Amino acid sequence: MEAAMQDPAIRITGMNKFYGQFHALQDIDLKVERGEKIVICGPSGSGKSTLIRCINRLEEHQSGTIEVMGTSLDDNVDHIDEIRREAGMVFQNFNLFPHMSVLDNCTLAPVLVRKTPRAEAEETAMRYLERVKIPEQAHKFPGELSGGQQQRVAIARALCMNPEIMLFDEPTSALDPEMISEVLEVMVGLAKEGMTMVCVTHEMGFARQVADRVIFMADGRIVEEAPPENFFNNPQNERTKTFIGQVMGH
Amino acid sequence: MSVPSPAEISRQPFPKLLKDRYFATRIDTIVTVTFGLLTLWLLWSFFEWAVLHAYVDPEDRDACVQSEGACWAVITARWRIVLFGLYPFEEQWRSALACLAIVLTTILSCLPSFWTALRLSLLWIVGFAAFYILMRGGILGLAPVSERDWGGLALTLFIFAAVVLIGMPLSIVFALLRRSNLPWISRTMGLVIDTIRSLPLLTIMFAFAVVIPFATPDWMNGQQLYRVIVGYAIFFACYQAEIIRGGIQSLPAGQEEAAKALGLGYWQRVGYIILPQAFRNALPPTINQVVITFKETSLVTIIGFFDILASGRAASGTGEWSFATIEVYVFVAFIFFVFVFSLSRYGAYLERRLGVGTR
Ligand SMILES: Nc1ncnc2c1ncn2[C@@H]1O[C@H](COP(=O)(O)OP(=O)(O)OP(=O)(O)O)[C@@H](O)[C@H]1O
Ligand SMILES: [Mg+2]
């Protein structure tokens, strides 16, 4: 256990991912310390989603190693389960379960996976729903909420599993502009409390405010990796420069 | 000229409403009048046949033969054959109670308060046990009656309920195997499903009733009735499996991914996320399949079972009543209608009820 305390949150070494013949991720090396906040950006199709989906085995990598909280991600089902319990994920399209109330969305996994007693799970769920500022929606169905509210429920649902790491895949990209800030606000709050976060996002303001490191990907590779000040003010790679120009341009 | 919306129309006074809906233009008027008259004429003819010129009392048999009207006398005289088939006359109250047991069980299991796996299974075990004890007898001082002598409505209901009850879980298993990640499992299942679906139901029933006993050891055979039910249930399951698979495929991939990301295992994902939504998506075709299954139970006549259609034919099969086949068929059709129509209405209710969460 003592050794485990020193393990980084995520350690990826020499990882490759293929979709059939297509080499989607090439020689990825990435280490995320506990409590660190990483923002991943890059052009469309560069492999950002694929990378964070490999971390909890929504996609399978073909070579190299991935370790999450000291557990190595291999074909051992127990390891996969353990990693999924430790890593919460928030999707672009929310992916709430439409046939369950907001509260049931939040208690399902704790009750089924962590075997938390229902009453306790509901208490926890209400606490997190309060934190994302929608306790009054607990008994509604997802379809009755706005996009921003749904995404906040999705964050609360992931937090209810009490994860060590939160993975975000473009959490604000499907939202109307006026709802983006309410979701970002929740994410900033989470960052301040010391959550380990890996966020794929194009919200550069968010990156500047909370990221410890910004990672730029292109064509399945990590092209540049730097703290936000350096990344935005002094990018090294040509592609990074073009990309920053585009994102900042408007 | 502005067209009033349906909501506006329905708030208007009745004569105006009538005019707007049915007599708005000259063409509307012609269509309304023509079809109105045609409908009235049809209804009147049926009323004349079924009520005005009809005879109900079996004593009036001879008058019946001459008359233009319906001869309901055949039903009054022979309804017990229609409803109970060859079941021993003195024991037919048992068959009636058995029908009631199945109908009651079905109604109860349609109530949302029974929708837990435990309650539903208990309910149906009790329901089928009651049916079986009543029909088969041999205990509790009830005279034994062989399955060969079961008939009429009780047989139809029993076959239907058993087929759906065995077929539904089986169809879920088939659908999941069909979607397996292991190609050899999903391909084999696909082949089995497609093969069975491409055979006529009659062939399947015939195979299970007549052919299988030659191929398998005696202890496996059981009563012919149960073999037919198993065959029919497999047939049902193959169609229903494809319906469920369609329901599963219409779910966004994100649903299963979100469940995986939360750490839910395969069976938890299937039981809590995939199937509830797949069933809701697949509800209309499922109701359709169940209705067809009810109606096609009458195919068992061909292998010699006395379901309600066959016993209806038997009721008008004697020389005395042979002129009254139409009345018997109308009566049987009415019974089918009551059951099938209730099923459809229940389906519509379910769709409305389950639709709530989607909005
Ligand atoms: N299931 C799949 N099968 C085949 N190719 C895929 C699959 N998923 C992604 N790809 C390919 O892998 C590459 C990386 O995709 P990915 O979704 O990771 O990009 P991304 O950086 O997240 O892009 P975006 O910003 O548009 O979300 C793309 O070229 C994509 O076409
Ligand atoms: Mg993406």
Side-chain angles (χ1 to χ4, degrees):
Chain A
M1 272 336 270
E2 210 151 291
M5 287 310 288
Q6 268 102 58
D7 287 320
I10 300 171
R11 176 160 41 202
I12 300 175
T13 43
M15 190 262 275
N16 285 279
K17 160 79 193 162
F18 294 83
Y19 288 113
Q21 293 295 309
F22 180 67
H23 203 163
L25 293 177
Q26 308 183 25
D27 301 321
I28 301 290
D29 290 300
L30 176 66
K31 191 162 130 192
V32 181
E33 296 297 342
R34 296 184 183 208
E36 208 181 2
K37 293 112 190 70
I38 304 283
V39 163
I40 303 177
C41 58
S44 179
S46 55
K48 308 179 294 292
S49 298
T50 308
L51 174 58
I52 74 166
R53 290 160 57 85
C54 280
I55 294 174
N56 65 353
R57 232 340 137 82
L58 291 184
E59 302 288 353
E60 196 175 339
H61 62 281
Q62 273 71 41
S63 67
T65 60
I66 300 179
E67 275 172 46
V68 180
M69 305 300 289
T71 308
S72 87
L73 187 55
D74 45 33
D75 288 333
N76 186 331
V77 182
D78 291 341
H79 292 178
I80 299 177
D81 285 346
E82 170 138 9
I83 286 173
R84 284 179 179 166
R85 281 196 295 270
E86 297 306 334
M89 189 167 206
V90 176
F91 301 84
Q92 182 172 353
N93 297 317
F94 330 137
N95 294 341
L96 294 179
F97 306 128
H99 60 301
M100 295 179 184
S101 71
V102 163
L103 189 62
D104 289 341
N105 263 277
C106 293
T107 56
L108 183 75
V111 169
L112 290 182
V113 181
R114 290 229 191 264
K115 313 287 179 215
T116 314
R118 172 160 290 279
E120 192 186 322
E122 283 184 4
E123 211 172 286
T124 314
M126 285 313 295
R127 212 169 56 236
Y128 283 116
L129 286 174
E130 257 155 50
R131 233 182 83 184
V132 300
K133 304 202 181 70
I134 34 176
E136 71 283 359
Q137 314 285 1
H139 296 284
K140 288 197 180 164
F141 283 88
E144 299 171 307
L145 305 185
S146 75
Q149 291 173 324
Q150 291 193 46
Q151 194 60 298
R152 284 184 282 154
V153 172
I155 295 174
R157 174 175 76 176
L159 291 176
C160 283
M161 280 296 280
N162 200 12
E164 296 287 336
I165 305 168
M166 285 287 282
L167 309 171
F168 293 84
D169 189 2
E170 305 205 31
T172 55
S173 299
L175 295 176
D176 292 337
E178 68 270 22
M179 296 173 185
I180 292 180
S181 62
E182 66 189 43
V183 170
L184 287 180
E185 200 179 307
V186 170
M187 291 170 63
V188 170
L190 209 53
K192 286 200 178 123
E193 286 169 30
M195 175 66 78
T196 311
M197 293 165 74
V198 179
C199 313
V200 174
T201 180
H202 291 154
E203 292 298 329
M204 293 305 142
F206 174 80
R208 276 182 196 277
Q209 191 180 348
V210 307
D212 296 311
R213 255 185 305 154
V214 181
I215 287 177
F216 178 75
M217 290 186 71
D219 298 331
R221 291 176 184 278
I222 293 180
V223 173
E224 188 154 353
E225 190 175 339
E229 320 77 84
N230 296 353
F231 183 84
F232 291 112
N233 303 333
N234 188 18
Q236 304 298 308
N237 188 287
E238 275 313 308
R239 300 197 57 169
T240 319
K241 287 178 189 162
T242 339
F243 180 78
I244 292 175
Q246 281 165 354
V247 187
M248 294 308 184
H250 53 260
Chain B
M1 208 185 93
S2 77
V3 181
S5 75
E8 273 165 6
I9 291 182
S10 63
R11 258 186 272 109
Q12 290 166 349
F14 187 67
K16 173 104 167 52
L17 190 145
L18 208 63
K19 180 164 187 309
D20 283 348
R21 277 203 187 156
Y22 301 106
F23 299 98
T25 66
R26 180 173 302 221
I27 301 273
D28 279 5
T29 310
I30 294 174
V31 170
T32 302
V33 169
T34 318
F35 280 93
L37 287 179
L38 201 67
T39 313
L40 279 181
W41 178 74
L42 278 175
L43 281 178
W44 174 251
S45 317
F46 183 78
F47 181 72
E48 243 186 345
W49 176 79
V51 179
L52 280 190
H53 298 168
Y55 289 91
V56 177
D57 191 337
E59 301 293 305
D60 295 334
R61 181 198 167 265
D62 297 330
C64 253
V65 181
Q66 317 295 332
S67 152
E68 322 227 291
C71 186
W72 299 125
V74 64
I75 308 297
T76 337
R78 316 264 295 170
W79 62 273
R80 290 180 65 150
I81 297 224
V82 181
L83 287 186
F84 305 121
L86 298 178
Y87 206 78
F89 196 80
E90 267 68 52
E91 309 289 339
Q92 284 177 358
W93 60 272
R94 281 162 51 185
S95 185
L97 280 186
C99 287
L100 210 63
I102 292 275
V103 170
L104 211 66
T105 311
T106 311
I107 292 177
L108 285 181
S109 56
C110 286
L111 301 178
S113 48
F114 276 90
W115 291 350
T116 68
L118 180 70
R119 284 184 200 172
L120 277 183
S121 3
L122 274 181
L123 181 66
W124 277 99
I125 288 170
V126 171
F128 269 128
F131 179 92
Y132 185 79
I133 291 170
L134 281 164
M135 288 297 281
R136 187 70 181 78
I139 52 169
L140 303 177
L142 298 170
V145 178
S146 152
E147 279 89 347
R148 281 262 52 143
D149 294 330
W150 295 6
L153 187 59
L155 186 65
T156 298
L157 291 180
F158 178 65
I159 294 175
F160 168 69
V163 164
V164 173
L165 233 63
I166 301 171
M168 205 53 101
L170 204 58
S171 71
I172 295 172
V173 175
F174 284 7
L176 293 178
L177 290 179
R178 181 83 177 76
R179 277 175 44 86
S180 162
N181 285 332
L182 303 174
W184 62 273
I185 293 188
S186 61
R187 292 229 187 93
T188 313
M189 200 62 239
L191 195 67
V192 169
I193 289 178
D194 287 344
T195 309
I196 293 184
R197 286 199 309 165
S198 56
L199 296 171
L201 174 55
L202 197 55
T203 328
I204 307 262
M205 285 187 175
F206 196 74
F208 275 80
V210 182
V211 181
I212 282 196
F214 291 113
T216 54
D218 274 350
W219 59 266
M220 266 186 67
N221 291 334
Q223 279 282 336
Q224 198 181 33
L225 175 61
Y226 301 121
R227 290 203 305 272
V228 171
I229 286 175
V230 168
Y232 194 178
I234 292 175
F235 183 83
F236 172 86
C238 287
Y239 276 89
Q240 183 59 27
E242 289 295 283
I243 293 175
I244 293 175
R245 189 164 72 97
I248 295 177
Q249 271 171 353
S250 66
L251 296 183
Q255 288 292 307
E256 178 145 31
E257 285 174 359
K260 273 186 189 169
L262 284 167
L264 269 63
Y266 176 77
W267 291 109
Q268 293 171 335
R269 298 198 297 270
V270 166
Y272 291 90
I273 308 301
I274 312 270
L275 283 184
Q277 295 189 68
F279 258 103
R280 188 175 63 189
N281 292 344
L283 197 60
T286 300
I287 298 289
N288 194 29
Q289 192 59 36
V290 169
V291 163
I292 292 175
T293 301
F294 186 88
K295 293 200 279 190
E296 293 198 335
T297 48
S298 45
L299 278 178
V300 296
T301 20
I302 300 183
I303 348 177
F305 285 102
F306 256 67
D307 82 311
I308 188 158
L309 191 64
S311 43
R313 224 177 287 129
S316 61
T318 55
E320 194 190 359
W321 294 105
S322 57
F323 64 93
T325 41
I326 295 194
E327 287 81 350
V328 173
Y329 277 125
V330 170
F331 180 63
V332 172
F334 177 72
I335 293 176
F336 268 91
F337 175 81
V338 168
F339 281 97
V340 172
F341 193 72
S342 319
L343 279 177
S344 312
R345 294 322 302 161
Y346 176 67
Y349 155 79
L350 268 191
E351 268 174 54
R352 246 176 303 130
R353 186 192 148 86
L354 298 183
V356 172
T358 21
R359 274 180 297 113

